[in-house]
Amino acid sequence: MFTLVAIGLIIVGIYFYFRDATPEGEPPVASLGLLPSAIEFGKSSKDFIARGKKKYGNVFTANLGLTTMTFVTSAEPGVILMNTKESQLSFREAIQSFVGHMVGEGMYSTPAWDDTYSKQVMKEGLSGKQKQEEYISYITTVTKRFLDANQGKEIDLFRTCSRIVLQSIMLSIFGTEFAESHQELPDLFFDLEMNGVHPYTMLAPWLPFGPAKVCKDRRDVILKIIAEESARRMEAKNYKDDNYLDCVLETIDRMEEKLGTGKTNPSVYCQHILSLGFAAHINTAGALAWTIAHLTQEPKMLESLKAQQVDLEREFNENSERTLHLEDMPRLKHLETYLKECLRMYASAAFVPRLVVADNLQVENFKIPKGRLVVIQPLYVNDRFPNPEKFDPSRWDTPAAESLASVYQPWGYGAHVCMGRIFATNLFKNVLFTILKDYDIQLKQFPIPDYTKGLGIPFSVA
């Protein structure tokens, strides 16, 4: 028995030795730590990438279990890759590989849904003026409700921001009546995302235990809820203008009638709705938590920020029935600098994936073969900024910020820019303005970013 085990270990060792050999012209294959790379990556993807960058340079490859990835950790090639055409470097297929276990076909790959109509519904449903007006009203209501309920209490800063953002998203997607009667949805989405982006889940989503199991269970429950509600609304045909789901369903009705495509598979739009809740959450919630944390530590910055919106606050003080409207958003443009600075310093994800679909993509002096997952590191673009460790929103008001616009990539870049960024930006501005106007938050300790589960989550208590 001992002999068989020894022979087996030798065979496995030989396999990994030759598997980790670097093919000619390709980036070096990393061997990091005593444990297999997949385990090291799962423990902390950020630390794993940092060690690889230090040992092998800006571009290196790692065999992570059954998946091979090439990591790009410098700004210049990262920007080029972020704007490479879909026909050469696919965002859709990479997202499918990374988070398909969470959102299925979701937002980025809808073969059963005509592409023109899918873009149209996202543009109208997320950025249309009438829809935005409704969403702003929802966001203000949710923010006040959460903060009023926790007056004088100790809260988890990120979790509270997350709940405000997710409940606002639920109201915007489903409308008031449905979202209010399904208060479990924000927590279901949160559990799905936290477990679904865990490195171990992304490498082995089929595991019947641990975060992979939690992810699958939450996804099945959410999809069932969305499917049942979508079927009810499509049968009633009583679509309303105050939510995104009705916009989607009405557009699908028009598409089927005009194109004669037959009935669209419900899984397509259900997964689309699921992916929207996932995509809109983490950037906004994380940026809110980090902004609040910094403002509680820097009184002069807080004073300066409040001075910039004193005129708008005065209008609210003079009229108790005054509420935020879409036309107020340009007057809160100064808050966008805080959003940008948080997303620069504290990237919500440790990496952004792309899949090579062209033959031998050139990155620096290396060739990346077709079918390889390329992972771009948002955190490393900070090397291009002056005083990168300093939280300084004012840097985005200087002429120098213009030259760094192409390096700044939290919403994607060029061909892959996020279509929901306007919705997310207005959500951030709305919540932050409401908090600064009516509430005071004191921080017990400054948060520390934790990337061990794949996302940069600020853990702290306020």
Side-chain angles (χ1 to χ4, degrees):
M1 181 64 179
F2 177 79
T3 304
L4 290 175
V5 171
I7 293 173
L9 290 173
I10 291 171
I11 291 172
V12 170
I14 293 171
Y15 167 75
F16 278 104
Y17 176 82
F18 285 104
R19 184 171 181 251
D20 286 348
T22 301
E24 185 178 355
E26 292 188 21
V29 178
S31 178
L32 300 168
L34 297 174
L35 296 172
S37 292
I39 297 177
E40 295 285 351
F41 181 78
K43 285 167 57 182
S44 174
S45 55
K46 182 187 175 186
D47 291 345
F48 175 87
I49 294 165
R51 290 200 306 275
K53 178 182 173 71
K54 183 177 180 179
K55 186 174 181 179
Y56 296 98
N58 292 331
V59 183
F60 65 93
T61 295
N63 293 312
L64 307 175
L66 301 177
T67 304
T68 299
M69 300 182 194
T70 293
F71 295 87
V72 178
T73 65
S74 59
E76 286 77 5
V79 171
I80 294 171
L81 292 176
M82 289 287 280
N83 200 29
T84 299
K85 292 180 180 178
E86 186 78 15
S87 59
Q88 295 178 290
L89 199 65
S90 175
F91 180 44
R92 293 184 177 192
E93 294 187 39
I95 285 294
Q96 183 66 21
S97 297
F98 264 78
V99 297
H101 58 279
M102 281 197 293
V103 298
E105 294 175 342
M107 185 183 296
Y108 304 110
S109 180
T110 53
W113 186 359
D114 181 80
D115 196 45
T116 301
Y117 281 86
S118 67
K119 289 180 179 177
Q120 175 187 328
V121 76
M122 281 190 279
K123 184 176 180 180
E124 291 178 3
L126 295 175
S127 306
K129 288 185 177 181
Q130 186 173 355
K131 289 287 191 297
Q132 286 190 70
E133 197 70 67
E134 292 287 350
Y135 301 158
I136 287 169
S137 173
Y138 294 153
I139 294 162
T140 303
T141 301
V142 168
T143 304
K144 284 181 170 294
R145 180 194 302 163
F146 267 88
L147 295 174
D148 286 345
N150 289 284
Q151 284 275 28
K153 297 180 181 178
E154 185 176 281
I155 61 172
D156 180 304
L157 180 58
F158 172 74
R159 195 70 180 90
T160 299
C161 289
S162 170
R163 286 194 172 100
I164 291 172
V165 168
L166 279 170
Q167 185 62 24
S168 298
I169 293 170
M170 296 303 106
L171 284 164
S172 302
I173 289 177
F174 298 106
T176 305
E177 183 179 348
F178 182 81
E180 295 288 7
S181 65
H182 289 76
Q183 292 288 326
E184 76 278 15
L185 275 172
D187 286 337
L188 287 171
F189 269 91
F190 184 84
D191 287 348
L192 169 72
E193 187 168 1
M194 293 303 105
N195 289 279
V197 299
H198 194 291
Y200 287 144
T201 306
M202 288 191 288
L203 293 176
W206 36 265
L207 286 174
F209 55 83
K213 175 70 162 56
V214 176
C215 172
K216 182 182 183 303
D217 290 347
R218 299 300 185 271
R219 177 175 179 262
D220 290 347
V221 171
I222 294 171
L223 284 175
K224 184 174 184 290
I225 292 172
I226 296 173
E228 290 175 351
E229 179 62 10
S230 297
R232 186 190 68 79
R233 295 189 189 192
M234 291 194 92
E235 183 178 356
K237 304 292 184 188
N238 183 27
Y239 301 126
K240 299 178 181 179
D241 292 329
D242 65 350
N243 67 86
Y244 183 77
L245 178 58
D246 279 351
C247 180
V248 170
L249 300 178
E250 188 174 19
T251 301
I252 287 174
D253 276 353
R254 291 202 311 266
M255 180 190 75
E256 292 172 351
E257 182 179 348
K258 186 171 183 178
L259 300 181
T261 55
K263 287 297 179 183
T264 303
N265 186 339
S267 67
V268 173
Y269 49 82
C270 289
Q271 290 168 4
H272 169 72
I273 295 298
L274 176 66
S275 70
L276 185 64
F278 162 75
H281 166 231
I282 195 63
N283 264 355
T284 315
L288 277 169
W290 284 117
T291 297
I292 293 167
H294 277 284
L295 290 175
T296 61
Q297 302 298 297
E298 302 184 46
K300 288 185 178 179
M301 184 180 291
L302 176 60
E303 185 180 337
S304 172
L305 177 57
K306 290 179 74 69
Q308 290 179 279
Q309 55 195 45
V310 65
D311 290 340
L312 188 56
E313 285 194 21
R314 186 182 298 115
E315 292 177 20
F316 278 79
N317 293 333
E318 292 173 353
N319 181 0
S320 60
E321 296 183 3
R322 173 77 155 91
T323 59
L324 274 176
H325 295 284
L326 181 60
E327 64 187 24
D328 294 319
M329 291 300 108
R331 299 174 67 181
L332 296 174
K333 192 170 179 62
H334 57 281
L335 296 181
E336 292 180 25
T337 62
Y338 287 79
L339 175 60
K340 288 181 177 181
E341 186 67 353
C342 284
L343 294 179
R344 177 195 71 80
M345 280 190 72
Y346 309 106
S348 60
F351 46 80
V352 177
R354 296 288 187 267
L355 183 73
V356 179
V357 291
D359 292 325
N360 291 322
L361 183 75
Q362 190 77 24
V363 179
E364 291 195 341
N365 298 321
F366 302 111
K367 291 181 179 180
I368 314 297
K370 186 176 181 179
R372 174 72 53 80
L373 274 170
V374 174
V375 176
I376 304 161
Q377 311 308 303
L379 288 167
Y380 290 108
V381 304
N382 282 333
D383 296 342
R384 291 279 300 273
F385 288 82
N387 300 317
E389 301 303 318
K390 182 182 179 183
F391 182 77
D392 182 16
S394 66
R395 73 172 77 239
W396 297 102
D397 282 331
T398 65
E402 221 172 292
S403 64
L404 295 170
S406 63
V407 180
Y408 175 74
Q409 308 162 12
W411 306 112
Y413 183 67
H416 306 294
V417 68
C418 175
M419 294 188 74
R421 66 194 183 282
I422 295 175
F423 172 82
T425 300
N426 284 344
L427 173 54
F428 174 87
K429 292 194 291 187
N430 193 333
V431 175
L432 189 56
F433 173 77
T434 303
I435 291 173
L436 293 176
K437 181 174 68 70
D438 295 326
Y439 303 92
D440 177 47
I441 295 178
Q442 297 177 347
L443 205 65
K444 291 183 69 175
Q445 62 185 46
F446 195 79
I448 299 172
D450 182 353
Y451 286 90
T452 56
K453 294 182 179 179
L455 295 173
I457 304 302
F459 287 105
S460 183
V461 175

